[in-house]
Amino acid sequence: MHELGILNALVHIIEGIVRDENLTEVEKIVIEVGELSGVVPRYIEECYPAAVYKTFMEKTALELIVVPGIVKCRGCGLVFNAAANDLHCPGCSGQDLEILGGNDMIVSEIVCR
Amino acid sequence: MDEFKVLQVKKSVFADNDRRAEALRQTLKKHRVFLLNLMSSPGAGKTTLLSRTIETLGNQLKIGVMEADIDSDVDARTIESFGAKVIQLHTGGMCHLDADMTRQGLEALGTDDLELAILENVGNLVCPAEFDTGAVKNAMILSVPEGDDKPLKYPLMFSVCDLVLINLFDVLPYFDFDMKKCVTNIRLRNPKAKIIPVCARTGEGIDLWCDWLCSEISAWRGQ
Ligand SMILES: Nc1nc2c(ncn2[C@@H]2O[C@H](COP(=O)(O)OP(=O)(O)OP(=O)(O)O)[C@@H](O)[C@H]2O)c(=O)[nH]1
Ligand SMILES: [Mg+2]
Ligand SMILES: [Zn+2]
């Protein structure tokens, strides 16, 4: 259950926002998970109820958006989707890649009052 | 009651921790304590390697160890028997340590008389890679029985490590572990990582690992 630790960090971040913005209720959170973040979206969904159990987020819905992992080949400069190409450059089949995006997990927005 | 509204946040889940980690690194720099974060799968040989390390470097460096097992103090006792200062961190079932827990651990360990602090992170290849602990360097152990394709399966872990130790090298004949393939796979994830084969049981390669550690420490001190 490695994703549980990440979700605890997430709950703390939302907690901070609720405090800073004086919110009374968080109806939904929208989270972006990069394909190259090392975080497995399905596990996040499975662990979520356990992570928010008995917290102020118990009734908060979770919406996950998977962000494609975009890389640039250091060999030929081609920019492509890493997962779709199995981490191989479709131009030169090189595997020395620079990550351009999709390696983070971000709290995108929260629906609240 | 107010209507629901949408707040644009755009905040990385890891950002708070990254900030704390950077602050901890600065503090350690001021106190001249080199923090190494050691990671691996369960049972890859972290405690055995650390015991060897204390044997080899114990009389030239003041070493302290933080053991982050989820729920036992077996490793802490082992390390203690080798004569290093050690504390057991209680992770409360967490599968990794973050910068805040590391800072608290260092406080409990006491760093006034330390030159090298080593964190034996929780045995897993996923979460510890996501959370910067504030360490100066990250090292990991890949043991031969785990297979040469681990870098492909856990890319993030391999990309955050400055050093990869390949342990249990003595059992190489019994596994279809291809060292060349393993090096290629590590290089794909991390072209700069140093790779050292070791055998924590017999002590082979330990001198190379200790050399690496000492030269990283003196380079960092000189910065
Ligand atoms: N044959 C052989 N066995 C080893 C070697 N290094 C460690 N071991 C054995 O592997 C087992 C696990 O080693 P540990 O050092 O406890 O591994 P660890 O990574 O600290 O384990 P956890 O803290 O439980 O994650 C022990 O029985 C060690 O004696 C090695 O180089 N060769
Ligand atoms: Mg151990
Ligand atoms: Zn290419």
Side-chain angles (χ1 to χ4, degrees):
Chain A
M1 286 286 215
H2 306 314
E3 271 65 16
L4 200 50
I6 293 166
L7 280 167
N8 284 337
L10 175 71
V11 172
H12 284 305
I13 285 176
I14 307 290
E15 228 164 37
I17 296 168
V18 165
R19 199 172 356 134
D20 295 347
E21 305 279 335
N22 266 320
L23 305 175
T24 52
E25 199 181 334
V26 183
E27 196 188 45
K28 183 172 97 170
I29 56 173
V30 182
I31 307 296
E32 295 175 11
V33 180
E35 279 178 340
L36 301 174
S37 67
V39 180
V40 182
R42 189 169 58 83
Y43 293 170
I44 290 288
E45 278 172 338
E46 283 173 9
C47 292
Y48 183 75
V52 298
Y53 179 66
K54 291 207 166 151
T55 72
F56 69 99
M57 284 173 65
E58 194 153 15
K59 294 208 173 76
T60 303
L62 169 72
E63 181 181 330
L64 271 189
I65 298 172
V66 178
V67 177
I70 303 298
V71 293
K72 183 178 178 182
C73 173
R74 287 202 180 93
C76 70
L78 193 69
V79 173
F80 59 96
N81 181 309
N85 292 285
D86 203 17
L87 294 170
H88 286 72
C89 172
C92 70
S93 64
Q95 281 190 289
D96 186 6
L97 312 171
E98 180 193 350
I99 297 175
L100 298 183
N103 57 342
D104 207 343
M105 176 165 164
I106 292 167
V107 182
S108 172
E109 51 185 56
I110 61 185
V111 181
C112 53
R113 62 181 168 198
Chain B
M1 207 178 226
D2 293 349
E3 285 297 299
F4 280 110
K5 60 183 175 188
V6 178
L7 264 190
Q8 298 292 331
V9 183
K10 297 284 175 205
K11 190 171 177 189
S12 167
V13 172
F14 307 113
D16 283 357
N17 183 65
D18 288 349
R19 218 184 38 246
R20 286 192 204 106
E22 204 41 57
L24 178 59
R25 245 189 306 278
Q26 300 295 331
T27 309
L28 290 170
K29 180 91 204 198
K30 227 188 293 162
H31 293 99
R32 296 176 70 77
V33 181
F34 186 99
L35 175 63
L36 178 90
N37 175 22
L38 181 62
M39 299 175 280
S40 82
S41 300
K46 297 181 291 298
T47 306
T48 312
L49 178 90
L50 289 183
S51 305
R52 288 271 177 200
T53 310
I54 295 160
E55 268 179 350
T56 313
L57 296 176
N59 49 13
Q60 58 188 93
L61 275 177
K62 291 181 203 113
I63 306 175
V65 175
M66 293 180 284
E67 286 290 342
D69 282 314
I70 290 182
D71 194 21
S72 95
D73 63 353
V74 184
D75 288 353
R77 280 197 220 150
T78 307
I79 294 296
E80 198 164 32
S81 73
F82 279 83
K85 197 168 166 182
V86 63
I87 59 154
Q88 171 73 44
L89 295 178
H90 295 286
T91 60
M94 287 284 262
C95 47
H96 66 278
L97 285 179
D98 61 19
D100 215 37
M101 293 189 271
T102 307
R103 184 185 53 75
Q104 289 168 21
L106 285 163
E107 267 167 25
L109 182 67
T111 52
D112 287 352
D113 56 346
L114 283 191
E115 294 166 300
L116 168 63
I118 304 178
L119 171 64
E120 177 175 334
N121 214 314
V122 183
N124 96 58
L125 297 181
V126 184
C127 297
E130 303 274 4
F131 290 87
D132 189 344
T133 57
V136 182
K137 293 284 164 183
N138 291 316
M140 71 162 295
I141 305 178
L142 172 67
S143 65
V144 165
E146 293 176 72
D148 51 37
D149 58 352
K150 272 284 183 301
L152 303 179
K153 294 178 181 163
Y154 298 93
L156 191 65
M157 174 56 78
F158 287 84
S159 70
V160 301
C161 281
D162 304 285
L163 171 78
V164 181
L165 295 162
I166 317 285
N167 190 34
L168 280 106
F169 225 68
D170 51 329
V171 303
L172 196 64
Y174 311 106
F175 290 87
D176 63 347
F177 183 98
D178 186 334
M179 187 58 186
K180 248 199 198 142
K181 242 191 228 160
C182 185
V183 170
T184 309
N185 290 341
I186 294 170
R187 285 274 162 268
L188 290 174
R189 299 294 163 250
N190 188 340
K192 280 184 239 135
K194 171 113 181 148
I195 302 166
I196 303 177
V198 293
C199 179
R201 170 161 288 172
T202 62
E204 232 171 302
I206 296 296
D207 50 341
L208 291 176
W209 141 251
C210 288
D211 286 351
W212 178 85
L213 198 52
C214 289
S215 70
E216 290 298 331
I217 294 172
S218 46
W220 174 77
R221 281 178 178 164
Q223 271 167 22

